[in-house]
């Protein structure tokens, strides 16, 4: 398996624009997680899905953020409108079930100017 | 609220030294604990997963231990090499049903040749 795939790897956008980050989990993994990493706050869980259903979105910072998982092989994290404080590295991770470890994607580095 | 602390925040050692990285968590009611490595500008690589029924895991020169009652885990690196230079992150799983990970801020290790 190719591992968790994220796109784009880098995104530079202007404040106010819509940003969509994409993730393809490892095949067969029932859980998908979105994280954000900043120098100030470290790694934070934003939302996670189980069998395509959002289970906990308490980490989503505000209504400008939304996430979907239309099928088992694809998820998106959308920011609309984007702000400079959203600049961070966004990671997607997946795992087969609670007994196993999480596998992380390479991340998307987002810069909002 | 579960908090994970890693000490020290940074560590510099000469090549060949054995070293210990520390991780502590405030709530002992965790499920699993996972150690990750992160290279600059890269994603997270899983090193070791210690399941709730285990007290330690070993992989090559790495050994991780877990003491849930005291809220502590250690990562032991034997005979350190310059290639071990990276940030090491400790993360706890809150419980089996959520799969949520709470991360520490990491220890940045530099191994000098």
């Amino acid at each position: 398996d190719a591992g968790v795939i994220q796109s784009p790897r880098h995104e530079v956008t202007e404040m106010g624009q819509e940003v969509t980050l994409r993730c393809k989990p490892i095949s067969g993994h029932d859980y998908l997680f979105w994280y954000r990493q900043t120098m100030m706050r470290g790694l934070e869980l934003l939302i996670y899905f189980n069998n395509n259903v959002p289970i906990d979105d308490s980490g989503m910072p505000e209504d400008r953020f939304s996430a979907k998982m239309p099928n088992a092989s694809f998820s998106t994290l959308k920011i609309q409108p984007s702000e400079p404080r959203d600049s961070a590295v966004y990671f997607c991770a997946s795992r087969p079930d609670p007994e196993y470890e999480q596998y992380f994607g390479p991340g998307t580095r987002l810069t909002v100017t | 609220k579960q908090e994970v602390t890693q000490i020290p925040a940074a560590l510099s050692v000469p090549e060949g030294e054995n070293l210990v990285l520390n991780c502590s968590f405030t709530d002992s009611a965790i499920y699993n604990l996972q150690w990750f490595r992160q290279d600059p500008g890269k994603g997270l690589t899983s090193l070791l997963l210690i399941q709730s029924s285990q007290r330690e895991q070993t992989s090559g020169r790495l050994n991780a231990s877990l003491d849930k009652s005291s809220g502590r885990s250690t990562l032991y690196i034997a005979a350190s090499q310059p290639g071990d230079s990276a940030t090491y992150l400790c993360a706890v799983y809150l419980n089996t049903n959520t799969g949520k990970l709470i991360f520490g801020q990491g220890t940045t290790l530099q191994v000098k040749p």
Side-chain angles (χ1 to χ4, degrees), chain B residues 71-111:
Chain B
R72 293 182 181 180
S73 176
T74 61
L75 178 66
Y76 175 83
I77 302 177
S80 58
Q81 303 171 357
D84 295 330
S85 299
T87 296
Y88 291 80
L89 294 155
C90 163
V92 301
Y93 289 84
L94 292 184
N95 64 61
T96 181
N97 290 328
T98 69
K100 291 177 66 171
L101 271 177
I102 306 297
F103 281 86
Q105 290 282 36
T107 294
T108 299
L109 171 67
Q110 181 184 32
V111 181

Side-chain angles (χ1 to χ4, degrees), chain A residues 32-50:
Chain A
L32 183 140
F33 304 81
W34 282 101
Y35 293 88
R36 178 172 67 176
Q37 186 177 37
T38 61
M39 287 293 293
M40 290 295 296
R41 301 174 67 89
L43 265 163
E44 301 175 288
L45 176 66
L46 301 177
I47 184 172
Y48 81 94
F49 296 82
N50 181 19

Side-chain angles (χ1 to χ4, degrees), chain A residues 18-38:
Chain A
E18 177 179 295
V19 175
T20 299
L21 311 181
R22 297 173 175 80
C23 174
K24 176 179 169 54
I26 294 173
S27 177
H29 284 195
D30 294 335
Y31 290 82
L32 183 140
F33 304 81
W34 282 101
Y35 293 88
R36 178 172 67 176
Q37 186 177 37
T38 61

